[in-house]
Amino acid sequence: MGFFLDAWTWLATGSNWTGGDGVVHRLGEHLYLTAVCLGAACLIALPAGLWLGHVGRGGALAVNISNAGRAVPTFAVLVLLTLSPLGKQGDLPTIIALVLFALPPLLTNTYVGMRETDRDVVEAARGMGMSGRQLLARVEVPLAFPLIMTGVRSAAVQVVATATLAALPGGGGLGRIITAGFGTYDTPQVVAGAALVAALALLVEGVLVVAERFLDPMRGRRRGGGKPQPSTDGPRSGSPSRSTPDKFDEKVIPAQPTA
Amino acid sequence: MSGVDGLYGADAALAGAAGKAGGDCLSANEWICPEYVTSRGQELADATAQHVWITVVSVVLALLVAFPLALAARRWQRAYGPVLGLTTILYTVPSLAMYALLLPLFGVGASVVVTGLVLYSLTVLVRNILAGLESVPDDAREAARGMGYGPGRLLFGVELPLSLPALMAGLRIATVSAVALTTVGAIVGFGGLGNLIYEGMDSFFKAQVLTASVICVLLAVLADVLLLGVQRLLTPWVRAGARKPRRGRDAGRGPGEDGGAGGPEPGGPVDTVPAAAGKEA
C-alpha cells in the first residue's frame, strides 16, 4: 500500500502539475485529442449508421466491423502508423488511430439501435403518412437513442484508452506520465498517472451517462430508463407495463390467439 | 497505407531484380520481409507461445471467477447492482492504466497482465452468463423441478446447457479482446507478441512490428473460430431450432409481413451481448 501513499504524495506535489510534462498540460492534450477524435468519429459514423439502419442495409458490415475492431490490437495500429511515413506528421497517426477505433462501436450500436426499433411502430408511423425523414427524426432516432448513446459512450471510453496508449510511441496525453514513470523506474509516478487516467475515463463515462438522461427524447417514458438490456433478457417483472411502446407488442400479442 | 506498402513493394521488387543476397529486405527495413520470419522464427514462436498462455490462463481464470459472481448476482437481488456496476467500472479503466495500477500489487511480472485481463473479461462474462441464465424458459425450469431435480442438478443439468449460447458468445468476445489487450502487457515485458511490437517500435524495425501485428490478429481470429466450433458442438439444438421462430414478436406476425432484412439477428438468439460490449485498448 506504500506505493499508493507515494502516488498520492506525487499527486499532491505542485511541481508535478506544471510545465510541459505536467499533469495540466498532459490532461489538456488528452482532452483535446479525445474531443477532436470523438467528434470526427461521430460525424462519420452516426450519419452512416442512421442511414444504414433506416434503409436496413449493411447489417453484416455493421456487425462485423465491431468484431474486427475488437480483434485488431490498438497498440499495434498505433505503432504501425507511427512507423509509416504518417509518423512524421505530428499527432496525425494518433488522431487516425483514435478515430478508427471509435468508429466500430458508434456504427454498430447506431445500426443495431435503428434496426431494433419496433417494426410495428415504424409501420404505423409510415401508415400515418410520415415521410422517410419524419420517420427517422420522430420515430426511429428517439427509439434508438439509448443504444446510440451506448455507442457514443463506448467510443468515448475507447478513445480515452487509445489516447493513453498513444504515449507509448511518443504521442501526447496523460499516458506520457505513466510511460515516463516506467522509463525512470518511478513507480509512484506510474501509479499516479494511472489513477489520473482511470479517473478521467470514469469521469467521461459518468458525464455521458448524465448527458444521456437529459438528452433522451423519450425521457421518462421509457421503461426503467436505464441501460438497454441484452435482447434475450425479456421482461423480468410479471406486470405488463403499458408505458413502453417499444416492448408493448412483444408481451401482449403472443398472449392472444394469433390464428 | 496500401499506397505506402505498394511503394515499398516496388522497392522490394527492384531490389530483388537487382539480385542478391538474403537479408536484403532486413537491411532495407521493409514492412514485409520473409527473411525476418525465417531468421527470427524462434523469437516469433516464443512470443506467440507467451501470448497464447497469457490469454488462455486469463480467460479460464475469468470464467472461474465470473460464474460464481453471476450466480451470486442472480441469487441475491442486492448483489445484482454492485456486481454489474463494479465490473463495468473496471471495464472503463484503460489498459495501460490498469496494468500500471496493478504493478505495485504484483511487481513486474506476468501476473500483472493476467490479472488485468481477468478483470476486463469479467464484465462481458458476468453479463452474458446472467443474460443466459435469464433466458432459460421458466417452463424448462418448472419441468426439471417437477422431475425432482435439486438446485445443483437444475443448474448444471438444465440451466447451464440452455444458457450456453449466451455464455459462449461472451467467451468469444472476452477471448478476442484478451488477445488484443495482451499486447499492451509489453509495458511490463509480458505482452507476448506485444513485446516484439514494442521492441520494433523502439528500433524502427518495420518487419518485426508488422509480422507480430499480423500474427496477433490471426491468433484472435483463430481463437474466435475455434470457440465458435466448440459452441456449435455443445449446442446442437440451437441450429435445429433456428428454423422455427421462437420470439413472441415474430409469432405475432404473419410470415410475409416482416419487411425485408430482418435486422441483425441471424440464426436466433446466439448473440445476446449488447453490441457495445467489447474492449479494444
Side-chain angles (χ1 to χ4, degrees):
Chain A
M1 285 296 122
F3 280 115
F4 292 102
L5 279 177
D6 292 344
W8 178 251
T9 313
W10 191 94
L11 284 174
T13 307
S15 60
N16 289 328
W17 287 73
T18 53
D21 288 327
V23 172
V24 174
H25 180 231
R26 294 299 182 203
L27 181 64
E29 285 178 333
H30 212 113
L31 287 175
Y32 163 78
L33 280 173
T34 305
V36 167
C37 296
L38 187 62
C42 283
L43 282 180
I44 299 169
L46 290 186
L50 288 178
W51 184 73
L52 288 175
H54 180 65
V55 301
R57 298 233 181 93
L61 173 81
V63 172
N64 285 326
I65 197 172
S66 97
N67 291 334
R70 206 174 288 130
V72 177
T74 17
F75 176 47
V77 171
L78 277 165
V79 175
L80 285 171
L81 285 171
T82 309
L83 292 189
S84 78
L86 288 170
K88 299 183 187 77
Q89 312 289 321
D91 278 343
L92 197 61
T94 310
I95 290 175
I96 293 175
L98 260 60
V99 173
L100 273 181
F101 281 98
L103 291 178
L106 283 170
L107 197 60
T108 307
N109 279 291
T110 309
Y111 178 84
V112 172
M114 291 289 286
R115 294 313 298 166
E116 291 204 339
T117 53
D118 196 313
R119 289 294 105 189
D120 293 345
V121 175
V122 173
E123 294 291 313
R126 211 173 255 141
M128 285 166 65
M130 281 198 185
S131 68
R133 192 176 296 173
Q134 285 174 322
L135 188 68
L136 188 72
R138 296 201 198 158
V139 179
E140 289 179 316
V141 170
L143 286 177
F145 186 79
L147 260 183
I148 296 176
M149 280 305 289
T150 303
V152 173
R153 266 192 293 133
S154 313
V157 168
Q158 179 68 40
V159 167
V160 170
T162 313
T164 315
L165 274 182
L168 286 171
L174 283 174
R176 277 297 272 279
I177 295 173
I178 301 177
T179 53
F182 267 108
T184 54
Y185 298 98
D186 186 349
T187 308
Q189 182 179 339
V190 169
V191 175
L196 286 169
V197 169
L200 178 65
L202 290 172
L203 190 71
V204 167
E205 165 104 0
V207 166
L208 285 173
V209 167
V210 173
E212 178 182 343
R213 293 262 162 86
F214 278 100
L215 294 175
D216 191 342
M218 295 192 46
R219 192 170 22 173
R221 281 182 283 164
R222 221 184 282 278
R223 180 184 55 155
K227 288 175 193 163
Q229 298 281 320
S231 53
T232 54
D233 190 34
R236 298 188 74 200
S237 58
S239 63
S241 50
R242 272 165 287 109
S243 60
T244 56
D246 52 334
K247 291 285 174 194
F248 188 72
D249 70 327
E250 282 198 35
K251 275 174 257 168
V252 175
I253 290 179
Q256 295 167 339
T258 48
Chain B
M1 276 284 283
S2 69
V4 174
D5 280 342
L7 213 65
Y8 282 96
D11 275 355
L14 280 177
K20 326 315 152 209
D24 252 356
C25 61
L26 277 180
S27 52
N29 194 18
E30 277 153 22
W31 285 106
I32 300 168
C33 185
E35 188 67 25
Y36 167 75
V37 181
T38 49
S39 65
R40 316 275 176 106
Q42 192 54 47
E43 207 178 291
L44 276 170
D46 292 345
T48 309
Q50 188 186 63
H51 207 110
V52 170
W53 82 250
I54 287 180
T55 309
V56 169
V57 169
S58 308
V59 173
V60 169
L61 282 177
L63 203 55
L64 291 179
V65 178
F67 195 60
L69 273 182
L71 286 182
R74 185 176 72 140
R75 180 81 175 71
W76 296 287
Q77 204 68 48
R78 209 177 288 169
Y80 194 89
V83 165
L84 283 190
L86 188 68
T87 50
T88 308
I89 286 176
L90 287 171
Y91 201 67
T92 309
V93 177
S95 50
L96 188 62
M98 178 71 95
Y99 296 148
L101 282 173
L102 291 169
L103 183 69
L105 296 179
F106 295 97
V108 171
S111 37
V112 168
V113 184
V114 170
T115 312
L117 292 176
V118 168
L119 293 179
Y120 282 139
S121 308
L122 280 184
T123 315
V124 181
L125 290 177
V126 169
R127 263 168 205 273
N128 275 52
I129 294 173
L130 273 174
L133 290 174
E134 280 165 14
S135 73
V136 174
D138 278 336
D139 299 348
R141 226 174 257 135
E142 288 301 312
R145 272 201 206 102
M147 286 167 69
Y149 276 47
R153 220 171 136 215
L154 176 68
L155 177 65
F156 289 101
V158 177
E159 291 180 312
L160 193 60
L162 283 178
S163 56
L164 267 178
L167 190 153
M168 289 301 292
L171 195 62
R172 282 169 62 201
I173 290 179
T175 308
V176 170
S177 310
V179 170
L181 283 165
T182 301
T183 53
V184 183
I187 189 82
V188 288
F190 285 89
L193 292 159
N195 293 342
L196 297 183
I197 299 176
Y198 198 85
E199 280 171 33
M201 174 185 84
D202 282 340
S203 55
F204 283 88
F205 195 168
K206 290 174 180 169
Q208 179 161 321
V209 172
L210 185 64
T211 313
S213 306
V214 169
I215 295 179
C216 196
V217 174
L218 290 179
L219 273 185
V221 173
L222 186 70
D224 199 37
V225 171
L226 274 179
L227 285 174
L228 184 64
V230 171
Q231 180 182 341
R232 291 261 163 94
L233 282 178
L234 289 179
T235 58
W237 62 87
V238 170
R239 269 171 302 156
R243 268 167 265 128
K244 281 179 266 171
R246 281 167 45 181
R247 291 189 161 190
R249 189 168 46 176
D250 297 332
R253 196 179 283 162
E257 277 177 65
D258 201 342
E265 20 182 33
V270 176
D271 281 313
T272 45
V273 217
K279 178 114 195 152
E280 290 144 29

